[in-house]
């Protein structure tokens, strides 16, 4: 049984960061809503500590979430952060009051007693990040103050019995010793052995997947992307041929991608794929459509039809595997239910809702970089693992205007050149996505002694953390020059290349 930390999410925008920081210390963590019952936490015996996150509410708000009584009764180490601390104080007989002004930003933390293990390796004065309105003005019985700032008398408090409260945010980078503080709580107080890694994740997944699936068939839609590839590899490892993979070639994939994906699964992982070449069918359906949203809907609808048809052919399938990742799960915990549907459906590009399949999401507790590690450990080749994100509607939203076979063939060649040249360049690490867009403009050019009239190809190369915002990358001129001359020379039909220098916002990453 895996040791784990439970994080109760009071709605802070930083909750995912807490989970992240804990994982970075090789400790497995799970985020749950505060109203969860102890019995609903799987393997509660393996929980070694609890963190209560911050949150936007005041403990006096009508709907303010509380700390469940089992948290106080279970005898485990507890760390309340910001709202989490205030909720502890409020419920255990101390006093929280609205602060005169919201305190936001850096403050200097002064430790009163450096011998406390929670402060191990932390200097007596250091910078911490604050973001709160209410503040604690009276401690509950038995609690004592361990550290303060100029504005906050009770900045770190302890019950003397493994229960801590802190007003600052150790999970954000601005807190200079935040990582040390979290590590101290995990290691010194909770006594975690810090041995959680991708190998252990695979081992424990084997057990739980076998248990969940029994002898049932499970179907997984492959897209060529990292998440679905790792999901399939993990399931295959756990239940072998009970896994049925469906790979729909919608004709909108990158150059040769349909063959690459099939080869990898067949040769490297020894997984049989139910391959459906629906490229003609998709291109026929897209005929005459220029509106980006109608393109998306048409592709989504057609995908569902193909997937349903293939699943029906398989017969007796009970489970549907999805590559949902932890950030999606955390988001859906905070927003209680609503976001879950949108996100999970998004993963396979529109899920067949009426198929009545049970969901299996083996990656739902992993972050993207952890998924990559698991994938490598399972033997997936680095070129699949380090792929850039690729939209479900594929090249369709990178061809402006109507989609034709001719335009798709042109764009695939341009895209391959962009990908190859960027992979060779020094700026590759910086790039979130780098690709070609086929505009519907034609311009005049000259090649040799001849006048040409060809498409304008645009390059979109951006850096980003999470695709919510993005910046265009200052790719060295030499790299841009090579890409441009290779495209114009090697791709017939294109005679001009332009570089998109729009950030997001106001632009989006994709052109459509
Ligand atoms: P935008 O263009 O909105 O893209 O800045 C943000 C990220 O989402 C990807 N993207 C999509 N992914 N279906 C997907 O699965 C879509 O319809 C879609 N549209 C955009 C885009 O590639 C980028 O990573």
């Amino acid at each position: 049984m895996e040791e784990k930390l439970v994080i109760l999410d009071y709605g802070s925008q930083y909750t995912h960061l807490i989970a992240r920081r804990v994982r970075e210390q090789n400790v497995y963590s799970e985020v749950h809503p505060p109203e969860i019952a102890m019995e609903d936490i799987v393997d509660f015996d393996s929980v070694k500590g609890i963190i209560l996150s911050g949150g936007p509410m005041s403990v006096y708000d009508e709907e303010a979430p509380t700390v469940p009584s089992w948290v106080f009764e279970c005898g485990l180490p507890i760390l309340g952060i910001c709202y989490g601390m205030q909720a502890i104080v409020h419920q255990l007989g101390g006093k929280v009051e609205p602060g005169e002004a919201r305190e936001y930003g850096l403050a200097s933390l002064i430790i009163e007693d450096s011998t406390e293990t929670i402060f191990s390796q932390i200097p007596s004065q250091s910078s911490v990040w604050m973001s709160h309105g209410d503040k604690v003005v009276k401690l509950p019985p038995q609690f004592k103050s361990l550290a303060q700032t100029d504005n906050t008398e009770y900045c770190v408090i302890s019950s003397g019995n493994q229960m801590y409260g802190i007003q600052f945010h150790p999970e954000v980078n601005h807190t200079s010793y935040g990582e040390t503080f979290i590590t101290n709580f995990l290691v010194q107080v909770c006594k975690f052995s810090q041995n959680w890694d991708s190998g252990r994740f695979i081992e424990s997944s084997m057990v739980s997947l076998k248990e969940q699936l029994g002898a049932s068939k499970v179907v997984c839609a492959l897209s060529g992307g990292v998440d679905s590839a790792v999901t399939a590899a993990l399931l295959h490892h756990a239940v072998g041929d009970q896994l049925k993979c469906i790979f729909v070639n919608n004709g909108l994939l990158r150059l040769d991608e349909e063959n690459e994906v099939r080869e990898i699964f067949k040769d490297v992982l020894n997984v049989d794929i139910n391959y459906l070449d629906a490229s003609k069918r998709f291109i026929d359906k897209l005929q005459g459509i220029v509106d980006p949203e109608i393109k998306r809907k048409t592709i989504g609808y057609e995908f569902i039809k193909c997937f349903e048809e293939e699943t029906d052919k398989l017969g007796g399938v009970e489970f549907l595997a999805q590559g949902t990742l932890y950030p999606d799960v955390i988001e859906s915990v905070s927003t209680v239910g609503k976001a879950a549907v949108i996100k999970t459906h998004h993963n396979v590009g529109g899920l067949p809702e009426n198929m009545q399949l049970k969901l299996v999401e083996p990656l739902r507790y992993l972050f993207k970089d952890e998924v990559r590690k698991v994938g490598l450990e399972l033997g997936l080749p680095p070129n699949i693992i380090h792929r850039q994100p690729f939209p479900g509607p594929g090249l369709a939203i990178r061809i402006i205007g109507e989609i034709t076979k001719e335009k798709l063939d042109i764009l695939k060649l341009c895209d391959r050149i962009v990908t190859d040249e960027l992979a060779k360049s020094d700026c590759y690490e910086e790039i979130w996505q780098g690709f070609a867009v086929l505009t519907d403009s034609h311009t005049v050019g000259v090649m040799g002694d001849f006048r040409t009239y060809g498409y304008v190809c645009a390059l979109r190369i951006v850096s980003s953390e999470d695709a919510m915002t993005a910046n265009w990358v200052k790719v060295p001129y030499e790299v841009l020059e090579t890409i441009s001359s290779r495209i114009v020379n090697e791709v017939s039909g294109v005679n001009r290349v332009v570089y998109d220098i729009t950030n997001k916002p106001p632009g989006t990453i994709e052109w459509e």
Side-chain angles (χ1 to χ4, degrees):
M1 209 184 303
E2 211 67 62
E3 291 178 347
K4 70 178 165 197
L5 177 101
V6 163
I7 299 168
L8 295 188
D9 178 17
Y10 289 88
S12 161
Q13 51 169 327
Y14 299 134
T15 303
H16 70 285
L17 270 182
I18 303 175
R20 186 73 267 180
R21 300 288 171 254
V22 172
R23 292 288 179 85
E24 282 164 8
Q25 296 308 318
N26 293 87
V27 169
Y28 177 67
S29 64
E30 281 178 15
V31 178
H32 292 289
E35 55 280 3
I36 192 167
M38 194 171 110
E39 307 75 71
D40 292 337
I41 296 176
V42 180
D43 289 338
F44 191 82
D45 289 348
S46 56
V47 178
K48 299 193 71 172
I50 300 168
I51 291 184
L52 314 176
S53 83
M57 293 233 191
S58 158
V59 290
Y60 294 109
D61 285 345
E62 216 167 279
E63 309 235 302
T66 55
V67 183
S69 53
W70 63 261
V71 170
F72 295 123
E73 288 155 12
C74 67
L76 291 168
I78 299 166
L79 173 64
I81 298 176
C82 198
Y83 180 87
M85 166 196 191
Q86 294 168 5
I88 292 176
V89 168
H90 183 62
Q91 285 176 242
L92 295 186
K95 196 162 171 38
V96 176
E97 266 185 4
E100 272 129 47
R102 196 173 166 79
E103 188 181 13
Y104 186 79
L106 282 177
S108 180
L109 182 78
I110 299 161
I111 294 174
E112 290 157 32
D113 181 359
S114 301
T115 60
E116 289 281 340
T117 49
I118 197 94
F119 296 132
S120 177
Q121 314 287 326
I122 300 178
S124 56
Q125 197 162 345
S126 65
S127 294
V128 292
W129 183 257
M130 305 287 260
S131 173
H132 64 114
D134 290 0
K135 63 191 213 176
V136 172
V137 292
K138 182 172 154 260
L139 296 182
Q142 269 89 51
F143 273 73
K144 59 176 179 173
S145 166
L146 301 182
Q148 52 186 270
T149 69
D150 280 349
N151 279 324
T152 307
E153 188 183 349
Y154 301 115
C155 195
V156 180
I157 61 170
S158 156
S159 67
N161 193 18
Q162 298 194 315
M163 195 186 312
Y164 294 88
I166 54 175
Q167 189 55 74
F168 67 91
H169 286 273
E171 68 277 19
V172 303
N173 282 330
H174 311 290
T175 296
S176 352
Y177 288 85
E179 186 186 328
T180 316
F181 191 90
I182 290 174
T183 311
N184 287 343
F185 177 69
L186 297 173
V187 181
Q188 312 277 1
V189 182
C190 304
K191 314 279 183 214
F192 275 102
S193 37
Q194 293 184 285
N195 58 3
W196 190 82
D197 62 15
S198 47
R200 283 183 84 90
F201 170 80
I202 295 171
E203 270 170 43
S204 63
S205 299
M206 297 298 95
V207 178
S208 52
L209 285 172
K210 279 187 184 133
E211 210 174 279
Q212 186 184 3
L213 299 173
S216 309
K217 270 192 213 169
V218 50
V219 68
C220 180
L222 294 180
S223 66
V226 183
D227 305 342
S228 67
V230 177
T231 302
L234 191 61
L235 275 161
H236 188 252
H237 209 64
V239 298
D241 290 343
Q242 282 165 248
L243 170 72
K244 306 290 169 195
C245 289
I246 294 176
F247 181 33
V248 177
N249 176 4
N250 58 11
L252 309 165
L253 304 170
R254 286 164 282 201
L255 186 69
D256 210 30
E257 189 165 15
E258 59 277 18
N259 296 323
E260 265 174 39
V261 173
R262 280 190 297 168
E263 268 163 35
I264 286 166
F265 275 84
K266 191 162 182 309
D267 301 344
V268 183
L269 297 172
N270 213 4
V271 176
D272 272 337
I273 291 184
N274 296 277
Y275 173 71
L276 177 70
D277 183 357
S279 44
K280 179 154 185 328
R281 181 166 158 179
F282 275 80
I283 292 162
D284 287 348
K285 290 281 172 196
L286 286 166
Q287 215 180 1
I289 299 177
V290 293
D291 181 285
E293 283 316 301
I294 301 179
K295 279 184 188 172
R296 277 194 172 80
K297 286 202 180 103
T298 308
I299 295 163
Y301 180 75
E302 212 48 38
F303 173 81
I304 291 174
K305 277 202 347 200
C306 292
F307 189 74
E308 273 178 335
E309 284 165 21
E310 289 303 295
T311 308
D312 281 349
K313 276 189 221 159
L314 290 168
V317 173
E318 271 184 57
F319 286 88
L320 172 75
Q322 279 203 85
T324 314
L325 302 195
Y326 207 36
D328 303 335
V329 176
I330 293 179
E331 216 164 289
S332 45
V333 170
S334 302
T335 50
V336 191
K338 281 189 200 130
V341 183
I342 299 163
K343 286 277 179 181
T344 42
H345 285 213
H346 185 74
N347 262 315
V348 284
L351 241 191
E353 283 189 53
N354 55 356
M355 283 176 77
Q356 312 282 327
L357 295 173
K358 288 178 255 177
L359 270 189
V360 49
E361 298 173 313
L363 308 181
R364 72 194 314 268
Y365 291 116
L366 300 188
F367 289 97
K368 190 84 171 185
D369 57 327
E370 294 171 331
V371 170
R372 293 199 159 110
K373 283 189 199 145
V374 168
L376 287 172
E377 192 124 345
L378 288 167
L380 284 166
N383 61 341
I384 281 260
I385 292 302
H386 295 293
R387 282 221 162 142
Q388 292 173 354
F390 188 65
L395 300 182
I397 54 170
R398 295 177 181 173
I399 290 176
I400 313 306
E402 190 184 355
I403 291 145
T404 62
K405 172 94 174 48
E406 181 221 359
K407 286 184 182 175
L408 272 166
D409 289 341
I410 291 178
L411 182 58
K412 283 182 186 187
L413 294 175
C414 297
D415 182 69
R416 173 56 66 90
I417 293 172
V418 176
T419 313
D420 285 353
E421 292 303 325
L422 290 180
K424 280 193 264 174
S425 77
D426 291 339
C427 59
Y428 191 66
E429 295 280 298
E430 213 189 306
I431 296 168
W432 167 269
Q433 276 172 294
F435 54 85
V437 174
L438 194 66
T439 74
D440 58 353
S441 295
H442 282 78
T443 58
V444 173
V446 55
M447 266 187 125
D449 295 329
F450 297 98
R451 173 190 185 274
T452 59
Y453 191 58
Y455 282 110
V456 179
C457 168
L459 308 180
R460 184 66 167 146
I461 305 168
V462 295
S463 62
S464 175
E465 287 281 317
D466 50 13
M468 302 297 287
T469 60
N471 290 327
W472 62 276
V473 178
K474 278 75 182 172
V475 176
Y477 286 159
E478 303 74 47
V479 178
L480 291 174
E481 187 169 37
T482 311
I483 293 175
S484 161
S485 61
R486 276 198 60 193
I487 289 178
V488 173
N489 284 315
E490 295 173 32
V491 185
S492 136
V494 177
N495 69 352
R496 192 176 295 266
V497 177
V498 296
Y499 191 33
D500 179 353
I501 51 168
T502 322
N503 289 334
K504 172 182 179 175
T508 51
I509 296 178
E510 303 291 345
W511 272 34
E512 286 200 332

